[in-house]
Every structure is written in structure tokens, then in C-alpha cells.
Amino acid sequence: MSTIQFASGIAVVNILLLGLLTTVWVRNYRTFRSSLLLGLVAFGSVMLAENVVAIYFFFSMKMLYSGDPTVQQAVLVLRGLQLVAIAFLTWVTMK
Amino acid sequence: MDKALWYLLTATRGGENRARLIRELSERPRNANQLADALDVEYKTVRHHLDMLEDHGVVEPGDNDYGKLYFLTDQFEQHREAFEEITEHID
């Protein structure tokens, strides 16, 4: 599997986790009607969009990424770090 | 404590049930079984919520080992206003 395919895979996992988080926050907003939750929903939605755009770039600009292995690795590290961040947030939210 | 309540009640998956659990305990102390019946959830779920709330100093168990009754802490009572604000939109 290429580095970029792996990075796309991580983006898909990010999208699943963010979908889960945003669902919890939307549901809680319906219950509590607090602006904190509106903020969390907005945060989750933008992060979701960011990961969708990332996947779009991986497939539509393969040439750009495939030219340079260092760029591919940098992209993979960034996706991976975001996964770690979202995983922690998911952990404390599902408790 | 205010921040802990916002986190425990609004930002987590089990938040609504935890708010209802605190309301039940506001009426009178109850044990985990009674709370499971009152909230219509599994005993295991109630145990999990009680542990979370105990970790954050919101509830505390009484002295008996069997059918342990749970009480709201004094610390929580001092922050009841925040609780009322958080839950004002729940039926």
C-alpha cells in the first residue's frame, strides 16, 4: 500500500470518529440547548469537511503527491497526529 | 466543579442519563438498582454513571456495603445553580 493510500485510510477513520462525535453533540444539543454544544458541533463539522477535502486531494492530485516521498510522509504524519487527537476526544466523549 | 458538570452532563454520550440520575438523587438517596429502574437503563450503565460522578465528586456512597445508597455531595449542592442552568431545557 502506498503512503498516500495509507493516509487516505486514516482520513476515513477520522471521518468515522468525527461522525460519531458530531452525532453525540447534536443529540446533546437537542437535549441541553447550550451554546457550548453548538460550538462543538461546528468544530466537528469543519473537521469532517477537512478530512473529506483531504481525501479528495489525495485522489485528484496524485501527481502532486507521488512526485515526492517526503511530502507523502509529511502528509501521513499530519493525518496520523490528527487521528491521535480525535481518538482522545472520542475516548473522553464516549465515557 | 462547574466545568466537571458541563463535561459530565453536556459533552458526553451518557450526559442526559447522568442529569436524570442527579435529579433522582435530588429527591432522595437511592441505590444503583433503584436508579436503574427509575431511569429504565441497565444496572451496568447506572454503575458506570455512578462511578464517573463519584470520580468527579458529584455523588458519594453511604456506609452499607450491600445495596449501597448514593447521596449528592455537599460540594455538588454548592454548585446546584450550575446544574439547574445546564438542565433547564430538559423536561
Side-chain angles (χ1 to χ4, degrees), chain A residues 52-69:
Chain A
V52 172
V53 171
I55 289 182
Y56 171 74
F57 282 168
F58 293 154
F59 288 106
S60 67
M61 298 192 205
K62 263 196 186 124
M63 299 289 282
L64 175 75
Y65 287 118
S66 61
D68 188 344

Side-chain angles (χ1 to χ4, degrees), chain A residues 31-32, chain B residues 15-16 19-20 23 86-91:
Chain A
T31 308
F32 294 98
Chain B
E16 184 177 351
R20 293 187 192 285
R23 277 194 179 166
I86 291 168
T87 55
E88 66 184 336
H89 296 290
I90 303 189
D91 323 311

Side-chain angles (χ1 to χ4, degrees), chain A residues 22 25 29 34-47:
Chain A
T22 309
W25 291 329
Y29 175 72
S34 97
S35 55
L36 168 70
L37 288 157
L38 279 185
L40 289 171
V41 169
F43 169 78
S45 310
V46 175
M47 291 287 275

Side-chain angles (χ1 to χ4, degrees), chain A residues 24-25 27-28 30-37 40 91-95, chain B residues 6-7 9-16 18-19 48 52 86-87 89-90:
Chain A
V24 169
W25 291 329
R27 204 178 289 161
N28 283 11
R30 292 210 188 110
T31 308
F32 294 98
R33 300 272 153 202
S34 97
S35 55
L36 168 70
L37 288 157
L40 289 171
W91 178 55
V92 297
T93 302
M94 294 302 152
K95 283 216 286 186
Chain B
W6 277 96
Y7 163 62
L9 303 181
T10 72
T12 48
R13 188 178 49 155
E16 184 177 351
R18 288 200 264 266
H48 168 72
M52 286 284 284
I86 291 168
T87 55
H89 296 290
I90 303 189

